[in-house]
Amino acid sequence: MSGTGNGDSFLRLAGVRTAAAIARFAPHRSLASAVQQMAGVGGELQQSAGDRWHKTGEGEGGIIGIELVDGK
């Protein structure tokens, strides 16, 4: 997995680490849904920006990753 964007937001939320933990430990959650929760529209990164969203770059970024399905 890799993340890019506003460093403060990613550090404050441990963005990539949190998405990985959600995918690993939450029952029946895919990596895609965990990444969406963190970096998608209305996700944790955007919410963390509060009223600074679209003004300072706060909360803007993305996460990519490769998910193994059935060990393949």
Side-chain angles (χ1 to χ4, degrees):
M1 296 180 67
S2 180
T4 187
N6 182 283
D8 289 346
S9 300
F10 272 86
L11 289 173
R12 184 171 49 254
L13 297 175
V16 174
R17 168 66 177 92
T18 302
I22 291 167
R24 181 174 180 190
F25 298 113
H28 310 293
R29 290 292 302 270
S30 67
L31 179 59
S33 70
V35 167
Q36 183 71 25
Q37 178 180 334
M38 290 305 296
V41 175
E44 300 292 332
L45 286 169
Q46 182 177 340
Q47 291 177 32
S48 77
D51 62 356
R52 297 174 310 279
W53 178 248
H54 277 300
K55 295 178 184 172
T56 64
E58 182 80 22
E60 296 178 11
I63 300 172
I64 61 170
I66 299 171
E67 182 172 25
L68 293 177
V69 179
D70 296 328
K72 300 176 186 173

